[in-house]
Amino acid sequence: PAPDPVTALWKDGLAERIDLGSWSEAETEAVLTAVLGGPVARGSVRRLWEVSRGNAMYLRELLIGAVESGALTEAGGIWALRTPLTAPARLLELVGSRLSGLAPGTVAVVELLAVGEPLGVPLLEKLADPAGLEDAEAQGIVQVYQDGRRTKARLAHPVYGEALRQSLPRSRLRRISAALAGAIEATGVRRREDLLRLGRWQLDSGAASDPALLCRAAQRAGEMFDNELAARLAQASLDLGGGVDAGLVLGEARFRSGQHAEAETVLAAMV
C-alpha cells in the first residue's frame, strides 16, 4: 500500500497513476536473457517466473541474489540454476515486514500454507484455527478459491512461501511436514498431486522410507517441470535403494536443469 500523501497525488490529479501488470513467462525469459547476456535454461526461467509471478521487483531481487550466491551460473553458453533458488536478505526483509505483527493463529495458517500450499480448506481447518484462516484472508495474505468442487487456500504470492520456508526453523519445518503427511495419508492419496506432495512432505519430515513412492513422486515432479524437486526426490529414492528407475529420473532431472556433466555421471553409474 502506498503512503497517504502518495495516494493523494493521483487522487487530486497532481500525478498520473500507472498500474504495472505482471510479466508473462515469455516476457520474464526475455528480461532474463537481456540482463544476463545469454540464453537461460527453460526450467530456470520457469522457476524464477513462478516465484516472482512476473513481479519486476521480486524478479530483480531473486536474480541478483541467485547470481551473487552462485546458484545461477553460466556453463556452455547457457545460464541455469545449479543449486536451489533462495530468497536473498533484502527480499526476506520485504516479506518479513509484510507479515510482521500477525496473531499466533494466523501465523500457524501461513506457515502451514508455506510448507504445503495449496491446501484444501477442510484439511487446513483441521490442522489450524479457522479464525486464523479468516484473518489471513482478510489481510490479503491468503487467497481462498474454488477449484472444481474443492475449496482451496494458498498464499497470496509465491514469494511469501519461499521466504517463509527459508526462515522457518528446521525443527518446525519437520513438524509441519509430518503433520501434513499424516493428514493426507489419513484421507487417502487419491489424486496425482497428492503423491508428489506426500513424497515431499515425507522427505522434509525426515520420515521417508519407501523408495518406490519417492521415485513415483520424482517422476511426477519432472512432469510438472519442477526439476529441483524431482532431483531431490529421486536422490532420496536412490539412497534408499530405488535402483535404476530412481537413477534414470535423477539423471533426467539433472540434464533438464542444465547440469549435463552431473547427469552423465548419474546415468553412467546405472549401466
Side-chain angles (χ1 to χ4, degrees), residues 150-203:
R150 304 184 73 197
T151 305
K152 295 183 178 181
R154 68 181 315 133
L155 296 174
H157 198 286
V159 82
Y160 293 171
E162 289 297 322
L164 285 166
R165 285 189 292 273
Q166 191 171 321
S167 59
L168 273 178
R170 181 62 189 173
S171 57
R172 192 178 306 170
L173 174 63
R174 289 170 63 93
R175 176 176 57 80
I176 294 173
S177 298
L180 289 168
I184 201 170
E185 284 183 300
T187 58
V189 183
R190 295 170 292 181
R191 298 171 179 81
R192 295 184 70 190
E193 62 266 28
D194 289 346
L195 173 66
L196 173 58
R197 301 197 304 166
L198 177 59
R200 187 182 76 228
W201 293 335
Q202 286 187 350
L203 195 61

Side-chain angles (χ1 to χ4, degrees), residues 5 52 91-92 144 174 248 254 270:
S52 67
L91 198 51
L92 291 177
V144 176
R174 289 170 63 93
L248 290 174
R254 297 292 190 209
M270 297 297 105

